[in-house]
Amino acid sequence: MADPHPPALAPVVSAEMLRERGLRACLGAERVVLELGFGRAELLLELAELFPERVYLGVEVSRKRVLKAGRRAERRELGNVFMIHAPAEYVLERVLPAGVVDEAWVNCPDPWPKKRHWRRRLVQAPLVELLARALAPGALLHIATDHEGYRDWIADVLAKQSAFLNLHAPAAFVGTRPERRETAYEEEWRAEGRTMAYFDYRRAP
């Protein structure tokens, strides 16, 4: 169970402070559940509320969304959820120590559909390598997308790595939503008739 966190640090935490002082000092725990690109933070906050014994860390590049999610966490009096305003790659490479993530979520990242923008996609081989470093052996990785082109891209990226075990093999993904709440984007896109793809992997020992 996480130790009580210092109120002055919650819920928005500086990436540099976390890097310098460490998880225990800043979050009151040495292991976290991670969400990269939490958007409107519905899932992040609900998971934190449902599982108070775990500590949740959300990473988001939109400062406005980080501050808004932080205010929502305070209103709900959630003491086990924290947010960082920073690129996911930076947090994985420079902030988090190896093996401290027990579970990671990447829900509906921007698909950057135009080919000239594909280099901006979050799920790339280097990011998967950074996730492999951050996740503890046996930790779970969940990725979801509604975009067909990005779905195939993610499947190809994950098929070429060896650090994670596909929980849906031989299928690359499933279309059935896992037992968790939908994000606002998922709700909107399902209403539009889009098909979701869910990837679930386990960090190899």
Side-chain angles (χ1 to χ4, degrees), residues 43-96:
L43 179 62
L44 181 68
L45 297 180
E46 180 160 307
L47 288 174
E49 196 165 51
L50 289 173
F51 303 101
E53 73 280 3
R54 308 184 83 181
V55 169
Y56 291 82
L57 179 64
V59 179
E60 174 60 57
V61 294
S62 168
R63 182 172 180 80
K64 181 178 179 180
R65 286 181 170 177
V66 169
L67 296 176
K68 184 178 290 187
R71 290 193 294 269
R72 290 174 62 196
E74 288 179 329
R75 286 196 298 269
R76 293 166 69 167
E77 298 182 344
L78 297 175
N80 63 325
V81 61
F82 301 84
M83 297 86 177
I84 292 180
H85 172 228
E89 297 87 348
Y90 178 80
V91 173
L92 289 171
E93 184 174 7
R94 302 293 185 87
V95 178
L96 294 179

Side-chain angles (χ1 to χ4, degrees), residues 132-151:
R133 172 187 171 275
L135 268 66
L140 297 174
L141 170 63
H142 313 284
I143 302 177
T145 183
D146 73 302
H147 188 273
E148 184 176 338
Y150 202 7
R151 176 200 68 194

Side-chain angles (χ1 to χ4, degrees), residues 21-203:
R21 298 184 58 191
L23 296 180
R24 173 63 66 181
C26 294
L27 311 185
E30 295 178 353
R31 303 286 281 267
V32 297
V33 176
L34 181 69
E35 183 173 8
L36 302 180
F38 56 76
R40 302 176 194 176
E42 314 98 313
L43 179 62
L44 181 68
L45 297 180
E46 180 160 307
L47 288 174
E49 196 165 51
L50 289 173
F51 303 101
E53 73 280 3
R54 308 184 83 181
V55 169
Y56 291 82
L57 179 64
V59 179
E60 174 60 57
V61 294
S62 168
R63 182 172 180 80
K64 181 178 179 180
R65 286 181 170 177
V66 169
L67 296 176
K68 184 178 290 187
R71 290 193 294 269
R72 290 174 62 196
E74 288 179 329
R75 286 196 298 269
R76 293 166 69 167
E77 298 182 344
L78 297 175
N80 63 325
V81 61
F82 301 84
M83 297 86 177
I84 292 180
H85 172 228
E89 297 87 348
Y90 178 80
V91 173
L92 289 171
E93 184 174 7
R94 302 293 185 87
V95 178
L96 294 179
V100 298
V101 177
D102 286 328
E103 192 168 9
W105 300 82
V106 185
N107 287 307
C108 301
D110 193 327
W112 294 102
K114 295 181 180 180
K115 188 173 182 178
R116 67 176 182 271
H117 294 153
W118 286 358
R119 60 185 175 81
R120 300 181 185 178
R121 287 176 167 175
L122 178 62
V123 181
Q124 309 263 4
L127 181 96
V128 175
E129 292 174 5
L130 292 173
L131 281 167
R133 172 187 171 275
L135 268 66
L140 297 174
L141 170 63
H142 313 284
I143 302 177
T145 183
D146 73 302
H147 188 273
E148 184 176 338
Y150 202 7
R151 176 200 68 194
D152 296 341
W153 170 286
I154 293 170
D156 183 62
V157 169
L158 294 175
K160 293 177 179 176
Q161 57 73 44
S162 59
F164 292 94
L165 306 175
N166 181 4
L167 299 184
H168 303 301
F173 58 87
V174 295
T176 304
R177 180 172 62 87
E179 294 184 0
R180 61 162 175 79
R181 70 154 294 159
E182 285 187 314
T183 66
Y185 291 117
E186 285 176 298
E187 292 173 358
E188 291 173 11
W189 293 333
R190 282 190 186 279
E192 294 175 7
R194 303 192 197 185
T195 301
M196 296 295 302
Y198 298 98
F199 299 83
D200 297 286
Y201 279 72
R202 186 181 300 280
R203 179 67 171 92

